[in-house]
Amino acid sequence: SQTIHQWPATLVQPVGSPLSLECTVEGTSNPNLYWYRQAAGRGLQLLFYSVGIGQISSEVPQNLSASRPQDRQFILSSKKLLLSDSGFYLCAWSPGDRELFFGEGSRLTVL
Amino acid sequence: AQSVTQLGSHVSVSEGALVLLRCNYSSSVPPYLFWYVQYPNQGLQLLLKYTSAATLVKGINGFEAEFKKSETSFHLTKPSAHMSDAAEYFCAVSGGGTSYGKLTFGQGTILTVHP
């Protein structure tokens, strides 16, 4: 069966520091991968999605970036965090154009 | 483009009562529709999905939803609420095909279950 893991689960970072959140999918190949952000009271916002290695599409312009160095690995990064980057980040995968399967989430607090 | 509106950011019911969470969608193509549940500090778990087959969809934990094209609705119901149903629920829509699985989510409805 397929599983998805993301880490770290919680992170407290100062403003201006870098960020790296990692996500790995097991048990499938060539999945579509996604990063969503969930800010308090604002629902889920799609940040990035990828349909293959090295193929990244950005939905929202911001100081975050994403990379897909391997088929089943998806990384969310920032060079300098802002206070507004705080939130709950969710990685997800999809076998195609159907439902998404989510990881456990990473809670980021920027101070 | 798609959009989702969840009517009511908070719903409160008594244990054993009917649960009804409302979702209306907008889509320029035949939609795929989903309901997800989220417990505190956890990811989202798929409850059920509609992908143009039967209009009444049954999901996990006793939930079901009915797709009504004429009303552009996909309301979530459960006949008898349980304390463990307390969580946040999200309705989502996808256009399918070349949408690459990108879902548009509603703002969520927090369900509270009273003993």
Side-chain angles (χ1 to χ4, degrees), chain A residues 32 34 36 38 41-44 46 49 51 59 88 90 94 96-105 107, chain B residues 32 34 36 38 41-46 49 51 88 90 94 96-97 99-107:
Chain A
N32 292 346
Y34 310 80
Y36 280 83
Q38 188 176 25
R42 296 181 60 184
L44 283 88
L46 178 61
Y49 71 95
V51 300
E59 291 291 301
F88 194 50
L90 291 159
S94 170
D97 62 352
R98 297 290 190 264
E99 66 269 28
L100 298 181
F101 299 95
F102 286 86
E104 307 95 334
R107 184 163 301 283
Chain B
Y32 297 154
F34 310 88
Y36 284 86
Q38 184 180 33
N41 293 310
Q42 294 186 24
L44 277 69
Q45 180 183 9
L46 180 68
K49 61 182 178 181
T51 55
E88 188 163 17
F90 292 92
S94 168
S99 70
Y100 299 111
K102 292 184 291 180
L103 269 60
T104 299
F105 286 85
Q107 291 296 98

Side-chain angles (χ1 to χ4, degrees), chain A residues 28-50:
Chain A
T28 187
S29 59
N30 197 31
N32 292 346
L33 297 172
Y34 310 80
W35 279 110
Y36 280 83
R37 178 170 59 197
Q38 188 176 25
R42 296 181 60 184
L44 283 88
Q45 179 184 40
L46 178 61
L47 301 176
F48 301 95
Y49 71 95
S50 170

Side-chain angles (χ1 to χ4, degrees), chain A residues 6-27:
Chain A
Q6 59 177 112
W7 67 94
T10 59
L11 197 59
V12 179
Q13 292 286 96
V15 170
S17 64
L19 171 72
S20 180
L21 300 179
E22 297 193 29
C23 173
T24 299
V25 180
E26 298 176 356

Side-chain angles (χ1 to χ4, degrees), chain A residues 25-102:
Chain A
V25 180
E26 298 176 356
T28 187
S29 59
N30 197 31
N32 292 346
L33 297 172
Y34 310 80
W35 279 110
Y36 280 83
R37 178 170 59 197
Q38 188 176 25
R42 296 181 60 184
L44 283 88
Q45 179 184 40
L46 178 61
L47 301 176
F48 301 95
Y49 71 95
S50 170
V51 300
I53 296 175
Q55 300 179 60
I56 309 295
S57 296
S58 173
E59 291 291 301
V60 182
Q62 57 206 323
N63 69 321
L64 299 173
S65 62
S67 62
R68 185 170 178 173
Q70 300 179 40
D71 181 44
R72 291 170 290 176
Q73 185 184 25
F74 205 26
I75 297 172
L76 182 69
S77 303
S78 175
K79 292 182 179 179
K80 290 185 178 181
L81 285 168
L82 306 172
L83 286 174
S84 58
D85 291 324
S86 292
F88 194 50
Y89 289 81
L90 291 159
C91 181
W93 76 274
S94 170
D97 62 352
R98 297 290 190 264
E99 66 269 28
L100 298 181
F101 299 95
F102 286 86

